[in-house]
Structure formats: structure tokens, C-alpha cells
Amino acid sequence: EKSGFDHFMLKEIHEQPKAITDTYRGRLVRQEAIIKMAGIEDNMKKFLNADRIIIVACGTSWHAGLVAEYIFEDLARIPVEVEYASEFRYRNPIITEKDVIIAISQSGETADTLAAIKLAKSKGAFVFGVCNVVGSSIARETHAGAYTHAGPEIGVASTKAFTTQITVLTLMALRLSRAKGTISSSDFRRHLLELEMIPAKVEESLKSDAHIREISEIYKDASNFLYLGRGYNFPVALEGALKLKEISYIHAEGYPAAEMKHGPIALIDENMPIVVIATKKGHYEKVVSNIQEIKSRKGKIIGIVTKGDTQVRELADHVIEVPETLESLSPLLNTIPLQLLSYHIAVMLGKNVDQPRNLAKSVTVE
Ligand code: F6R
């Protein structure tokens, strides 16, 4: 049931305020300034004694894992590695009983992720699942876990699963940082407060829809796109590029903005649209200078900016505003315009948005 939306993908994009709320409901208790997650409480020792966390996942879930790497290291000061499940399982990886594995999967049925979990378990590691589908194979195979509560995701291109995965992983990182004492109580409270404001801010970000449609019209015939971001938003750039590839079949690549000068800058000319995540906080000035480099090579700049921004607005061909938030939570907002951009371009090109060619909702073969 598409509830009046043209596609499941659009419906699911619009469901994100509710999905994110459902994900933190009962876990984030702001009045008491606590986070309650049974899967963490029951296994607190394992997390606190971990030498490192290894995140295994595929595709969009892997991108959520990359965002989690920033937040776990930043807040909880636990070393994190993020691995493609398909590479990890065949690499003869070094895993010990002191490793905690976090497996992220919307469907809970991804063959490579499941195999990586079995491998890690066989080496004695503790495996924690972040799944959306209740009772799925991965949910059953892991020692403990936390569900995302995004509700069914029908569109093949993952949207609300991604933002709710980031929400769960953020809650986990916050809970662990409190237990470890790596976050001050005021910082912790500020995170809880800001996280509770995210659904309303996602709602506000969705209001750029008509403006994003206009931008989509201008660039829908481009044959390549670049997506750039730094820090917490580097994985968001990767995810933006993946969304565009999947449903519009336009070639797109995501890069850390500073890596541009080590090669991809050679691609830039007046025909190259470049989506730059340039929200305030998080290397803003550096990203502005990256934008200047692009501009001097005549690339077309679509900036994702914080509401009220003037500096990027002066340089960019287009800007899409999102509300201000903490840097650590900014992926939850910056992802929204990128989802809408790929959606509108794909629709304008007449593609089958909900069921892109060659793709299946869950990849149960390796
Ligand atoms: C992207 C997409 C895929 C999945 C990947 C992992 O939009 O849908 O890249 O993210 O196949 O799937 P799960 O999360 O079900 O393990």
C-alpha cells in the first residue's frame, strides 16, 4: 500500500520522521537522561572489554557502518573497523574473543553478511546484530542485537532502513560512551535532546522536495555525478552516489572531498554536476575551499548547506538547505535531499524506481 505516494520509495522517504521516532522510542529516555537497550545492558562487559569493534555489512548497510565508525570512535573511543562482509569472510581475518562484531542488515538475509557472522562466531567473537526484519536469519544467528523498527521497506533502494540503522548505532555509541565515561553528562544530554529533534528536522528537510525536483530537471541528462563529503558526511556522499546509480542508472561516485585532488578532479568540467555536503560544523571551511577548486574548473555545484548559509550559496550553482544539528547527527539530515534527488531524477528518466533492473531486495546468494 503506497498511501497516496507514486512509489514505495517516496513513501518510505517520507516515513523517516516516524521511523526514526519508532527506533528511539522506549530507548531514549530524555527526562531521566538515559538510554535503555537490553541487548547492550545484557552484554555490557563484552562491549567494555572489547579491543575493537568490527562492523560487517553490504551496500547501504555498510555505509551506515561507516557513519557508525565515526560516532563510536568519536564518542565511545572504541577502535572500529568497517568491512564489506564479502571481503571479510574470504580474507582469513584475524578475529579473537576480545572482538565485538556488529552485523548490520535491513533484510537480515544477506548471504555474505550471514557467512561473515558464522565465521566470526567460529573464532569466538561476540556478534551483535542490527536488523530491520524481526526474526530474520541474521537476527537469529547473532548473540544479541537491536532492531531498527523502520517497518517494512519495500522499495529496493534502501532509505528509511539507512537512517534508522544510523539511529540505532548512535544510541549504542551514546550508551557505551556513558558507560565508559568518555562523554560528559552535559554532552550526553545535548545529544539526547538533539536526537529527539531529528524527526521534526527530517520533516523540514523533506519540504525542499519541489526545489530538488527543479534541480533534478536541470541535471537529469548528465552521464556522471560526483558526491563529496568529509568526516561524518563522507559515508553520506557514498550513499548518495549509490542511490543515484541504483535507480537512475547514472554513473556516480562518492569521495571524501579532500581526496578529489588526488585524481577525480581530472573529471571535472562544465558538464559534471557535483553534490557537495557542506553543512556547518565538520570541516566547513575546508569544504568551502574544495568548492572553490571545483568552481575554478567550471563544475556545477549542488551544495547541501545549513539553513541560512551564505558562503556556499555565493559559490554554488544551487543550494539545498537542511536544519542545523550536531555534526554527529548531521548524516540523518544530509541524506534526505540526496534520496529525493536520486528519486526525482529516476522518475524523470522513466525508470522503475521501486524495482530497478538487476537488483533484488535481499541478496541471499553470495
Ligand atoms: C541499497 C541496497 C543494498 C543493500 C545491501 C544490503 O539501496 O538496498 O545495497 O543495502 O544489499 O542489504 P541488507 O541491509 O538487507 O543486508
Side-chain angles (χ1 to χ4, degrees), residues 52 54-56 81 83-97 99 101 112 115-125:
R52 57 176 181 168
I54 303 172
I55 297 178
V56 293
E81 286 171 33
E83 306 265 3
Y84 282 119
S86 56
E87 285 298 313
F88 178 77
R89 60 180 290 203
Y90 286 119
R91 212 189 48 229
N92 192 12
I94 298 162
I95 312 167
T96 74
E97 288 109 65
D99 288 324
I101 312 289
D112 282 316
I117 292 166
K118 289 181 177 160
L119 174 69
K121 277 172 74 180
S122 74
K123 309 265 185 194

mmCIF file of all heavy atoms in Angstrom, residues 52 54-56 81 83-97 99 101 112 115-125:
data_model
loop_
_atom_site.group_PDB
_atom_site.id
_atom_site.type_symbol
_atom_site.label_atom_id
_atom_site.label_comp_id
_atom_site.label_asym_id
_atom_site.label_seq_id
_atom_site.Cartn_x
_atom_site.Cartn_y
_atom_site.Cartn_z
ATOM 1 N N ARG A 52 38.315 -3.995 20.061
ATOM 2 C CA ARG A 52 37.836 -3.216 18.921
ATOM 3 C C ARG A 52 36.478 -3.751 18.496
ATOM 4 O O ARG A 52 36.081 -4.855 18.868
ATOM 5 C CB ARG A 52 38.810 -3.321 17.756
ATOM 6 C CG ARG A 52 39.033 -4.763 17.357
ATOM 7 C CD ARG A 52 39.906 -4.943 16.147
ATOM 8 N NE ARG A 52 40.001 -6.379 15.877
ATOM 9 C CZ ARG A 52 40.492 -6.905 14.794
ATOM 10 N NH1 ARG A 52 40.969 -6.123 13.848
ATOM 11 N NH2 ARG A 52 40.521 -8.209 14.624
ATOM 12 N N ILE A 54 34.316 -4.648 15.068
ATOM 13 C CA ILE A 54 34.393 -4.832 13.617
ATOM 14 C C ILE A 54 32.962 -4.833 13.099
ATOM 15 O O ILE A 54 32.134 -5.629 13.548
ATOM 16 C CB ILE A 54 35.078 -6.158 13.245
ATOM 17 C CG1 ILE A 54 36.482 -6.234 13.853
ATOM 18 C CG2 ILE A 54 35.155 -6.308 11.722
ATOM 19 C CD1 ILE A 54 37.157 -7.587 13.684
ATOM 20 N N ILE A 55 32.687 -3.917 12.207
ATOM 21 C CA ILE A 55 31.353 -3.843 11.622
ATOM 22 C C ILE A 55 31.377 -4.546 10.267
ATOM 23 O O ILE A 55 32.261 -4.283 9.450
ATOM 24 C CB ILE A 55 30.898 -2.378 11.468
ATOM 25 C CG1 ILE A 55 30.794 -1.710 12.858
ATOM 26 C CG2 ILE A 55 29.567 -2.292 10.722
ATOM 27 C CD1 ILE A 55 30.405 -0.239 12.833
ATOM 28 N N VAL A 56 30.441 -5.463 10.059
ATOM 29 C CA VAL A 56 30.350 -6.132 8.750
ATOM 30 C C VAL A 56 28.960 -5.880 8.163
ATOM 31 O O VAL A 56 27.949 -5.923 8.863
ATOM 32 C CB VAL A 56 30.615 -7.664 8.827
ATOM 33 C CG1 VAL A 56 32.055 -7.940 9.208
ATOM 34 C CG2 VAL A 56 29.668 -8.355 9.796
ATOM 35 N N GLU A 81 36.570 -1.004 12.955
ATOM 36 C CA GLU A 81 36.880 -1.278 11.554
ATOM 37 C C GLU A 81 35.576 -1.636 10.869
ATOM 38 O O GLU A 81 34.727 -2.293 11.459
ATOM 39 C CB GLU A 81 37.870 -2.437 11.440
ATOM 40 C CG GLU A 81 39.270 -2.030 11.849
ATOM 41 C CD GLU A 81 40.210 -3.206 11.952
ATOM 42 O OE1 GLU A 81 40.057 -4.165 11.182
ATOM 43 O OE2 GLU A 81 41.067 -3.148 12.845
ATOM 44 N N GLU A 83 33.941 -3.399 7.506
ATOM 45 C CA GLU A 83 34.341 -4.336 6.457
ATOM 46 C C GLU A 83 33.152 -4.690 5.562
ATOM 47 O O GLU A 83 32.045 -4.897 6.046
ATOM 48 C CB GLU A 83 34.817 -5.652 7.102
ATOM 49 C CG GLU A 83 35.897 -5.473 8.136
ATOM 50 C CD GLU A 83 37.279 -5.652 7.552
ATOM 51 O OE1 GLU A 83 37.393 -5.857 6.320
ATOM 52 O OE2 GLU A 83 38.239 -5.601 8.339
ATOM 53 N N TYR A 84 33.431 -4.810 4.284
ATOM 54 C CA TYR A 84 32.451 -5.431 3.399
ATOM 55 C C TYR A 84 32.393 -6.898 3.817
ATOM 56 O O TYR A 84 33.438 -7.580 3.839
ATOM 57 C CB TYR A 84 32.919 -5.383 1.950
ATOM 58 C CG TYR A 84 32.748 -4.050 1.254
ATOM 59 C CD1 TYR A 84 33.855 -3.363 0.758
ATOM 60 C CD2 TYR A 84 31.485 -3.501 1.046
ATOM 61 C CE1 TYR A 84 33.707 -2.161 0.077
ATOM 62 C CE2 TYR A 84 31.337 -2.298 0.370
ATOM 63 C CZ TYR A 84 32.437 -1.635 -0.112
ATOM 64 O OH TYR A 84 32.293 -0.451 -0.790
ATOM 65 N N ALA A 85 31.214 -7.394 4.109
ATOM 66 C CA ALA A 85 31.086 -8.780 4.559
ATOM 67 C C ALA A 85 31.710 -9.745 3.549
ATOM 68 O O ALA A 85 32.360 -10.726 3.913
ATOM 69 C CB ALA A 85 29.608 -9.113 4.777
ATOM 70 N N SER A 86 31.541 -9.445 2.276
ATOM 71 C CA SER A 86 32.018 -10.344 1.214
ATOM 72 C C SER A 86 33.540 -10.431 1.167
ATOM 73 O O SER A 86 34.092 -11.458 0.769
ATOM 74 C CB SER A 86 31.493 -9.864 -0.138
ATOM 75 O OG SER A 86 31.874 -8.517 -0.360
ATOM 76 N N GLU A 87 34.219 -9.366 1.565
ATOM 77 C CA GLU A 87 35.677 -9.385 1.589
ATOM 78 C C GLU A 87 36.176 -10.005 2.884
ATOM 79 O O GLU A 87 37.088 -10.821 2.905
ATOM 80 C CB GLU A 87 36.221 -7.957 1.463
ATOM 81 C CG GLU A 87 36.110 -7.399 0.066
ATOM 82 C CD GLU A 87 36.921 -8.212 -0.933
ATOM 83 O OE1 GLU A 87 38.087 -8.523 -0.657
ATOM 84 O OE2 GLU A 87 36.370 -8.556 -1.992
ATOM 85 N N PHE A 88 35.555 -9.607 3.965
ATOM 86 C CA PHE A 88 35.937 -10.062 5.298
ATOM 87 C C PHE A 88 35.960 -11.581 5.372
ATOM 88 O O PHE A 88 36.916 -12.202 5.824
ATOM 89 C CB PHE A 88 34.922 -9.482 6.290
ATOM 90 C CG PHE A 88 35.114 -9.877 7.718
ATOM 91 C CD1 PHE A 88 36.098 -9.281 8.484
ATOM 92 C CD2 PHE A 88 34.278 -10.819 8.312
ATOM 93 C CE1 PHE A 88 36.257 -9.627 9.820
ATOM 94 C CE2 PHE A 88 34.436 -11.168 9.646
ATOM 95 C CZ PHE A 88 35.434 -10.570 10.400
ATOM 96 N N ARG A 89 34.901 -12.211 4.863
ATOM 97 C CA ARG A 89 34.757 -13.662 5.037
ATOM 98 C C ARG A 89 35.801 -14.452 4.261
ATOM 99 O O ARG A 89 36.083 -15.596 4.583
ATOM 100 C CB ARG A 89 33.348 -14.109 4.619
ATOM 101 C CG ARG A 89 33.030 -13.798 3.185
ATOM 102 C CD ARG A 89 31.647 -14.243 2.784
ATOM 103 N NE ARG A 89 31.519 -15.683 2.710
ATOM 104 C CZ ARG A 89 30.589 -16.293 1.980
ATOM 105 N NH1 ARG A 89 29.703 -15.582 1.293
ATOM 106 N NH2 ARG A 89 30.526 -17.603 1.940
ATOM 107 N N TYR A 90 36.359 -13.847 3.232
ATOM 108 C CA TYR A 90 37.332 -14.583 2.422
ATOM 109 C C TYR A 90 38.765 -14.142 2.653
ATOM 110 O O TYR A 90 39.657 -14.482 1.897
ATOM 111 C CB TYR A 90 36.979 -14.452 0.936
ATOM 112 C CG TYR A 90 35.773 -15.293 0.564
ATOM 113 C CD1 TYR A 90 34.616 -14.705 0.072
ATOM 114 C CD2 TYR A 90 35.799 -16.672 0.734
ATOM 115 C CE1 TYR A 90 33.509 -15.479 -0.250
ATOM 116 C CE2 TYR A 90 34.700 -17.449 0.418
ATOM 117 C CZ TYR A 90 33.555 -16.847 -0.068
ATOM 118 O OH TYR A 90 32.474 -17.620 -0.374
ATOM 119 N N ARG A 91 38.976 -13.316 3.698
ATOM 120 C CA ARG A 91 40.309 -12.750 3.860
ATOM 121 C C ARG A 91 41.124 -13.450 4.937
ATOM 122 O O ARG A 91 42.214 -12.993 5.266
ATOM 123 C CB ARG A 91 40.157 -11.266 4.200
ATOM 124 C CG ARG A 91 41.290 -10.423 3.674
ATOM 125 C CD ARG A 91 41.239 -9.013 4.193
ATOM 126 N NE ARG A 91 41.038 -8.966 5.598
ATOM 127 C CZ ARG A 91 40.134 -8.212 6.181
ATOM 128 N NH1 ARG A 91 39.348 -7.454 5.470
ATOM 129 N NH2 ARG A 91 40.013 -8.212 7.495
ATOM 130 N N ASN A 92 40.634 -14.514 5.485
ATOM 131 C CA ASN A 92 41.296 -15.125 6.620
ATOM 132 C C ASN A 92 41.541 -14.072 7.697
ATOM 133 O O ASN A 92 42.673 -13.852 8.129
ATOM 134 C CB ASN A 92 42.614 -15.780 6.171
ATOM 135 C CG ASN A 92 43.203 -16.675 7.253
ATOM 136 O OD1 ASN A 92 42.520 -16.985 8.235
ATOM 137 N ND2 ASN A 92 44.451 -17.049 7.109
ATOM 138 N N PRO A 93 40.479 -13.386 8.117
ATOM 139 C CA PRO A 93 40.634 -12.241 9.021
ATOM 140 C C PRO A 93 41.095 -12.668 10.410
ATOM 141 O O PRO A 93 40.851 -13.790 10.838
ATOM 142 C CB PRO A 93 39.228 -11.647 9.085
ATOM 143 C CG PRO A 93 38.323 -12.791 8.797
ATOM 144 C CD PRO A 93 39.060 -13.677 7.849
ATOM 145 N N ILE A 94 41.771 -11.766 11.085
ATOM 146 C CA ILE A 94 42.230 -12.028 12.451
ATOM 147 C C ILE A 94 41.116 -11.623 13.406
ATOM 148 O O ILE A 94 40.773 -10.442 13.512
ATOM 149 C CB ILE A 94 43.517 -11.229 12.744
ATOM 150 C CG1 ILE A 94 44.615 -11.690 11.775
ATOM 151 C CG2 ILE A 94 43.942 -11.402 14.205
ATOM 152 C CD1 ILE A 94 45.763 -10.739 11.634
ATOM 153 N N ILE A 95 40.524 -12.613 14.057
ATOM 154 C CA ILE A 95 39.412 -12.336 14.967
ATOM 155 C C ILE A 95 39.690 -13.073 16.269
ATOM 156 O O ILE A 95 40.118 -14.228 16.241
ATOM 157 C CB ILE A 95 38.062 -12.873 14.408
ATOM 158 C CG1 ILE A 95 37.882 -12.448 12.956
ATOM 159 C CG2 ILE A 95 36.888 -12.384 15.256
ATOM 160 C CD1 ILE A 95 36.751 -13.191 12.253
ATOM 161 N N THR A 96 39.452 -12.411 17.381
ATOM 162 C CA THR A 96 39.655 -13.074 18.667
ATOM 163 C C THR A 96 38.414 -12.940 19.540
ATOM 164 O O THR A 96 37.471 -12.230 19.184
ATOM 165 C CB THR A 96 40.846 -12.453 19.439
ATOM 166 O OG1 THR A 96 40.424 -11.185 19.941
ATOM 167 C CG2 THR A 96 42.080 -12.277 18.568
ATOM 168 N N GLU A 97 38.463 -13.574 20.689
ATOM 169 C CA GLU A 97 37.331 -13.497 21.628
ATOM 170 C C GLU A 97 37.149 -12.092 22.180
ATOM 171 O O GLU A 97 36.127 -11.795 22.776
ATOM 172 C CB GLU A 97 37.538 -14.453 22.820
ATOM 173 C CG GLU A 97 37.376 -15.917 22.491
ATOM 174 C CD GLU A 97 38.700 -16.651 22.525
ATOM 175 O OE1 GLU A 97 39.289 -16.747 23.623
ATOM 176 O OE2 GLU A 97 39.150 -17.128 21.453
ATOM 177 N N ASP A 99 37.079 -9.461 20.325
ATOM 178 C CA ASP A 99 36.462 -8.616 19.300
ATOM 179 C C ASP A 99 34.943 -8.659 19.423
ATOM 180 O O ASP A 99 34.362 -9.710 19.704
ATOM 181 C CB ASP A 99 36.845 -9.101 17.895
ATOM 182 C CG ASP A 99 38.294 -8.812 17.566
ATOM 183 O OD1 ASP A 99 38.788 -7.756 17.995
ATOM 184 O OD2 ASP A 99 38.928 -9.643 16.881
ATOM 185 N N ILE A 101 31.717 -8.010 17.076
ATOM 186 C CA ILE A 101 31.311 -7.822 15.679
ATOM 187 C C ILE A 101 29.906 -7.227 15.680
ATOM 188 O O ILE A 101 29.028 -7.715 16.403
ATOM 189 C CB ILE A 101 31.247 -9.178 14.923
ATOM 190 C CG1 ILE A 101 32.505 -10.009 15.157
ATOM 191 C CG2 ILE A 101 30.931 -8.976 13.440
ATOM 192 C CD1 ILE A 101 33.754 -9.532 14.513
ATOM 193 N N ASP A 112 26.270 -12.898 2.328
ATOM 194 C CA ASP A 112 27.651 -12.607 2.714
ATOM 195 C C ASP A 112 27.743 -12.165 4.175
ATOM 196 O O ASP A 112 28.695 -12.521 4.878
ATOM 197 C CB ASP A 112 28.239 -11.521 1.793
ATOM 198 C CG ASP A 112 28.649 -12.097 0.432
ATOM 199 O OD1 ASP A 112 29.268 -13.173 0.406
ATOM 200 O OD2 ASP A 112 28.344 -11.459 -0.593
ATOM 201 N N ALA A 115 27.325 -15.187 6.376
ATOM 202 C CA ALA A 115 28.536 -16.019 6.384
ATOM 203 C C ALA A 115 29.632 -15.377 7.236
ATOM 204 O O ALA A 115 30.366 -16.074 7.962
ATOM 205 C CB ALA A 115 29.030 -16.234 4.955
ATOM 206 N N ALA A 116 29.725 -14.039 7.179
ATOM 207 C CA ALA A 116 30.736 -13.338 7.992
ATOM 208 C C ALA A 116 30.446 -13.537 9.483
ATOM 209 O O ALA A 116 31.360 -13.714 10.291
ATOM 210 C CB ALA A 116 30.745 -11.846 7.644
ATOM 211 N N ILE A 117 29.167 -13.534 9.837
ATOM 212 C CA ILE A 117 28.765 -13.744 11.237
ATOM 213 C C ILE A 117 29.178 -15.150 11.703
ATOM 214 O O ILE A 117 29.746 -15.336 12.782
ATOM 215 C CB ILE A 117 27.236 -13.569 11.384
ATOM 216 C CG1 ILE A 117 26.853 -12.106 11.142
ATOM 217 C CG2 ILE A 117 26.742 -14.059 12.743
ATOM 218 C CD1 ILE A 117 25.358 -11.885 10.939
ATOM 219 N N LYS A 118 28.894 -16.134 10.867
ATOM 220 C CA LYS A 118 29.226 -17.525 11.241
ATOM 221 C C LYS A 118 30.736 -17.684 11.415
ATOM 222 O O LYS A 118 31.187 -18.347 12.350
ATOM 223 C CB LYS A 118 28.684 -18.490 10.180
ATOM 224 C CG LYS A 118 27.159 -18.580 10.246
ATOM 225 C CD LYS A 118 26.588 -19.545 9.217
ATOM 226 C CE LYS A 118 25.061 -19.629 9.387
ATOM 227 N NZ LYS A 118 24.393 -20.145 8.199
ATOM 228 N N LEU A 119 31.477 -17.037 10.542
ATOM 229 C CA LEU A 119 32.935 -17.097 10.637
ATOM 230 C C LEU A 119 33.397 -16.468 11.960
ATOM 231 O O LEU A 119 34.201 -17.063 12.699
ATOM 232 C CB LEU A 119 33.560 -16.356 9.445
ATOM 233 C CG LEU A 119 35.073 -16.204 9.464
ATOM 234 C CD1 LEU A 119 35.737 -17.567 9.275
ATOM 235 C CD2 LEU A 119 35.535 -15.246 8.358
ATOM 236 N N ALA A 120 32.875 -15.283 12.271
ATOM 237 C CA ALA A 120 33.289 -14.588 13.499
ATOM 238 C C ALA A 120 32.914 -15.405 14.738
ATOM 239 O O ALA A 120 33.686 -15.499 15.699
ATOM 240 C CB ALA A 120 32.655 -13.198 13.545
ATOM 241 N N LYS A 121 31.737 -16.014 14.701
ATOM 242 C CA LYS A 121 31.317 -16.839 15.838
ATOM 243 C C LYS A 121 32.245 -18.030 16.019
ATOM 244 O O LYS A 121 32.596 -18.400 17.146
ATOM 245 C CB LYS A 121 29.879 -17.332 15.627
ATOM 246 C CG LYS A 121 28.822 -16.307 16.050
ATOM 247 C CD LYS A 121 27.430 -16.732 15.660
ATOM 248 C CE LYS A 121 26.868 -17.848 16.508
ATOM 249 N NZ LYS A 121 25.486 -18.204 16.048
ATOM 250 N N SER A 122 32.661 -18.607 14.906
ATOM 251 C CA SER A 122 33.537 -19.784 14.986
ATOM 252 C C SER A 122 34.892 -19.433 15.602
ATOM 253 O O SER A 122 35.593 -20.287 16.122
ATOM 254 C CB SER A 122 33.727 -20.418 13.599
ATOM 255 O OG SER A 122 34.598 -19.617 12.825
ATOM 256 N N LYS A 123 35.252 -18.153 15.583
ATOM 257 C CA LYS A 123 36.526 -17.708 16.183
ATOM 258 C C LYS A 123 36.316 -17.197 17.614
ATOM 259 O O LYS A 123 37.221 -16.622 18.216
ATOM 260 C CB LYS A 123 37.144 -16.573 15.353
ATOM 261 C CG LYS A 123 37.253 -16.853 13.880
ATOM 262 C CD LYS A 123 38.612 -17.399 13.522
ATOM 263 C CE LYS A 123 38.709 -17.554 12.007
ATOM 264 N NZ LYS A 123 39.846 -18.356 11.602
ATOM 265 N N GLY A 124 35.093 -17.309 18.071
ATOM 266 C CA GLY A 124 34.837 -16.956 19.469
ATOM 267 C C GLY A 124 34.433 -15.511 19.708
ATOM 268 O O GLY A 124 34.312 -15.078 20.857
ATOM 269 N N ALA A 125 34.208 -14.739 18.661
ATOM 270 C CA ALA A 125 33.831 -13.332 18.856
ATOM 271 C C ALA A 125 32.367 -13.229 19.258
ATOM 272 O O ALA A 125 31.561 -14.124 18.985
ATOM 273 C CB ALA A 125 34.085 -12.536 17.571
#
